[in-house]
Structure formats: structure tokens, C-alpha cells
Amino acid sequence: MDEAIARYPSDHRRGAAMPLLHLWQEHFGFIGDEAILWIATKLGLQPISILELVTFYPMFRQHPPGKTHIRVCRTLSCAMAGGFEVMENLCTAFGIPPPPDREGWHNPITVSADGNYSVEFVECLASCHTAPVCMVGEQLHENVDPTSAADLVRHRQSARSSPAATGNPHSHPPHHLEHRLIFKNIGRPDWTTDIDCYLRDGGYEQLKQAVTMSRSDIVNKVKNSGLRGRGGAGFSCGLKWSFIKLDEKRPVYLICNADESEPGTFKDRYIIHEDPHQLLEGILISCYALNARTAYVYIRGEFPKGAKILERAIEEARTHNFLGKNILGSGFDAEVYVHRGAGAYICGEETGLIESLEGKRGYPRIKPPYFPAVLGLYMCPTIVNNVETLCHIKHIVAMGGAEYARLGRPNNTGTRIMCVSGDVQRPGYFEIEVGAVTMGQLIYEMAGGLKPGRKLKAVIPGGSSAKVLRADERFKLKQRQAGGSTIEVELSIDDIPMDFDSLTAAGSMAGSGGVIVLDDSRDMVWVLNNINEFYAHESCGQCTPCREGSLWMKKITDRMLRGGGVVEDPKTLKTIGDNIAGRTICAFGEACAWPTQSFVEKFPEEFAARAQKPVPPPLPPEYTPEELIEEELIPTVPMAHDPGWEKAGAKGTI
Ligand SMILES: Cc1cc2nc3c(=O)[nH]c(=O)nc-3n(C[C@H](O)[C@H](O)[C@H](O)COP(=O)(O)O)c2cc1C
Ligand code: SF4
Ligand code: FES
């Protein structure tokens, strides 16, 4: 525990609260009052400062789990592949009574009567291409067969998975449309994650080169490369870096954002698992360029294996003097620490992440004034970059900024990893030159096309926050001609180039690179309801429009699915979305509003078909009658005749 505390500056020991909570829970299984008091005393904090973490972060438990604890992913790609059936199979096999409402499985966890097993639903585990997935203890199981999930748990046999199904990029040779830079080595038969292997392949040569260069030279290379962040917003990396003054007097921090929780995105975990030194080299070059002497890798709590792999890589790099004191004789010192999150999606948002790293709830900060580059970690200048973004830094040093910028398209340079999941035959990772591949090529040529007999219905192109694109839409995009002039072209969905600008022009976004494909078997109200549940669960709750609105949207789509939709509902959904976007502290507001706004707009016929009841619901949308009946707030008597849904409730009583 003392070692964990020492990773945080002496005047910011609160940052150690989450690592201590993890250690305690790993040892004792849950966090009771004793733990809260002990950790608070150890860090010189009030117990409430620890309790507020335990009640905020879904991974921390206040009650003992079963001897084997199972987390089942309920998010979109897994739900489409049978995630709910996995849960049903587990509950039946272990005698765990299903809660009255399937949503109740998030928290608290449900334990079997004999105490041997416990289950909970969790959100996207960043393995959407091998859906459905679950975690048994710390072990991720992919491609779980919903009919025999319990056997998998009992015998701990590895899940049914073929190399193709695991989406390993090297289980098949590179597609001719791929351009592998980050994935150059990953999956090679002789490739391992240890440093000797990395060094044999020219590893850390760019760090050696970087420490002989001036800081501004490296920043300029990154600027010239045109690299845009791969974490979601697509902001220019060089521009962000240039906000750090060369003569900055305060400590500068670098944070690698490895929180990867955007549904549909599953590249960062894979990079960490398969090539941790590539990431570490990127981090160390970036530290040098930014004069940051401390870097934190904020890694999702659900990636325990990734955290261990990184810890090991850090120690290996230390033995070669690639980090620590006087790196490679350059006089530059840098330390890299791994900090585990605990299941809150909002900690992927950079200011929520910083608060979390400081040992608090992951409540995003208002920008301005809290732009991380100005007032970030411990109110010091901080650069937050995504895992994939930081991996590119090494290649930019190797190639030079201008050469790197030749990859991809103007303003959309380099390569990026597309994560394809959902209704395709060969879901997985595909590293492409940005914009060199169209949506149609990605879906039909690279990801193997749709299942037999199915037609494309829609695509969510950049993680579940991105607006949905309908397959039969026409998109008007401005395209730059060779001579520099621009013309407007009308494209089908198949022809949209997979780059930042084209997807924005098409009315959506490239986001985090998670492409979720939906075929014509999908019910769009059901899909939106699944997405809405994710956002309702993950809102941090600071802003009223987001906290209330995300829940209202979920309750309405829920009610529509149960046959209780009223004619007003599509309009109400849109109004709620419109009143969240642009009115919140952080971009989660847009992230949760955009799916609802776009689904209702693009698929009006499906929403109208589910919104047939003429009378508006008698209760505010945050309550369903079923809940109030359950809470005995509405007295009920057996129904004599069918008075309609408005009065009957789900149980057929009035
Ligand atoms: C709700 C929300 C969740 C986010 N989750 C992630 C995430 O899991 N990983 C990530 O790298 N960026 C995430 N971001 C974006 C970060 O705030 C930030 O822009 C990014 O880490 C910057 O790195 P980049 O410039 O290299 O992309 C999220 C943003 C929002 C609004
Ligand atoms: S928009 Fe939502 S997630 Fe972001 S700060 Fe407000 S309540 Fe929290
Ligand atoms: S891992 Fe289940 S949806 Fe992503």
C-alpha cells in the first residue's frame, strides 16, 4: 500500500485512494466500513472522501460477491449477439433469481443462495468484435455461447473462439486495403510483449533519437504530421502540445487515456496487451517533448491484465534506462505510473479523468477555465492523449512529420484503427490510411459483408455516441479537387470515405473509430433503448439536463418497447435530446443526445409504429407506472376489462 501511495505527489496523496480501494477489494472481496475508515486514516482524509468513491465507481462493492463473480456485458454489440441470453443462462444454472426488471442487474450485484456465484451486468468491455463477452473474475471470455455460459464458468474452459473470430489482425494476412503502422508487429507468430523482442525489432530507437533532438523540433514534427487525436474529438495533437510553454515553470503532466469505454471501440486494450512497449515508447518521447517528468496511464478498471502488462513493461524499460533518472544519459528524468479506473465511462472524458486521478469522483470540469493544458492535473499544465494517438508519435519521429502527413488525406492524415462490430461476418480491427477506404469497402470487403440474406440498415460510425447513418440516405459532401477547388458530391453510405471530415460532413463523426453495423433484422427502438440505458447509467449526474434527460429518454424507449408508447413520444424524445445537447458541462451531453436525436429523425416510421397510444402518459416520464405500482404508491385491484395501457400497467391490474 505504501508503494501505491508513493506514486502520487506528497501533497496529493488523495490520488492513492482508488489504488488502495482496489487493493482492499482484491484482498477482502468488498469494501466495508472498516476499509473506508482505514483508507481514510492512511491518507489523512475524512471517511466521506472514500465513501463517495465507493458509491460512485461501479466496480467497487459494498457487499461480498459470490466466490466466483461474473460480469456480463449488456451493451449494444454484445446484446445483439446474445448477452442477455448469457445472463439468463447463468442465472438459471446458478439459481439466481432474475430481478423483476432486467435492468436491475447493474448494482447491487446478485449472489446465488449458496454464495458460490454472483452476477452483474456491466457496460461495454471493449471486445465488441468477439461478442458476447463476459468476465469471470479477472478473465475475459469472448464469443461466449449463450446456451452453455454456465459450463464455461464452472469448468473455466476457454471460450469458443476461432482465430478469425477473435479479430486478431494477424490471424489473416493484411487486407490489401490495410496499411499497418501501429499493428505492424502485433500478432506476428514470433512476436511477444517482452522488451527483448521489441528491441530486436528496432524498439526504442526513436526514443534514442528523440532525446538528442530539441523539444520544439519534436513538437514541430507532430504539428507537421497533422496527427489528430484518436480518442474521439479528433483534435490536432501538435496544436494541443503547443499550448505547453517551453519555459513552463509548473510541473507538466502527461496522461495516457486508456479508459476505452466508448461502446464499439476496442483497439486500445489490444495495443496494450500486444505491444505495450510501442505505447511506452510513444509516452516517453511525448514526455521528453513536453518536458513532462511524470506520466500516468489511466487504464480502465476492467483491464486488470492490461494494467499488469504495462507495469511489467515499465519495469523492463527501467532496466534499460529508457525511463527513470537521466534517461539514456540525456539528463532527462521521467516516471510512468499506471492508475486503474473503476468502471465509470465518464472517466474517459479528460477532465473527469483528471478528477478521478486526483482521487475524487469523475466529475468533469467546466472548460473554460479548466482546459487541461492550462489547469489540468493538480492545476498544472497537462496533456491528455489517447493510447493510439501516443503510439503514432514514435512513427512520426521515425518518418518525419511531412512524410507521415502523406499517409491518408489532407487534414485527415496517418493511419487509424477501425473497430468493426455488429452484424458483419468478420468483425475485428482494420488499420487503414485515414480516408483511403470507404464505408462500403470496410463493411463488405474488409469485414466480410453482412450475414447471408441480410441487407444493411444502418451504421453507427464512430462509437455509440455518433449519430446513426441510414443505409438508404444520400449524403452531400464537399470534396477537394486536385487543383484545390471544392465541389459538392452526393454519395451513398457505401461511398463515404472513413475520415474525420467526411463523416462530419455526412452528419455524424469518426469519433473513436468504433463502427457498429446494423442489418435489416434490427429493431431501431430496441437498439436506441440499449444505447439509452448505457448513457442513463453512465451520466455522472452533475448537470440536470444530462442526469434527468438521459433517464427520461431511456424510460420512454423502454415504455415504447413494452407496448406503451404514445403518439407524443418521438417528439418528446427529440425535445429532450435538444434540451441536453449544448447545455451541459461536458460533451457527454451531446454523446447521449445524438443517438436519440438521430434515431428518431432517421427512422420515424419505426418510432411512430411503437407510439400508437393516443393519450399522453399520466405520469412524468421519469416514472413508469410499473415502478410506482411496485412501490405501492398506486393501489391496484384486479382488472375487470381491458381499460387500455394507461390505467392497466404491465401487470394487468388497475
Ligand atoms: C463522455 C466522453 C468519454 C470519453 N472517453 C474517452 C475514452 O475512453 N478514451 C479516450 O481516449 N478519449 C475519450 N474521450 C475523449 C477525451 O476527453 C479526450 O478528448 C482524449 O482523451 C484526448 O486524446 P486525443 O486527443 O489523443 O484523442 C471521451 C470524451 C467524452 C466526452
Ligand atoms: S454532461 Fe452529464 S456526464 Fe457531463 S458533467 Fe454533465 S451530468 Fe456529468
Ligand atoms: S464488449 Fe460488449 S458491447 Fe463492447
Side-chain angles (χ1 to χ4, degrees), residues 126-138:
S127 193
C128 323
H129 59 313
T130 57
V133 301
C134 69
M135 282 180 83
V136 182
E138 294 203 338

Side-chain angles (χ1 to χ4, degrees), residues 375-389:
L375 292 170
L377 186 65
Y378 316 130
M379 292 297 142
C380 291
T382 303
I383 292 296
V384 183
N385 273 133
N386 170 259
V387 168
E388 189 188 347
T389 313

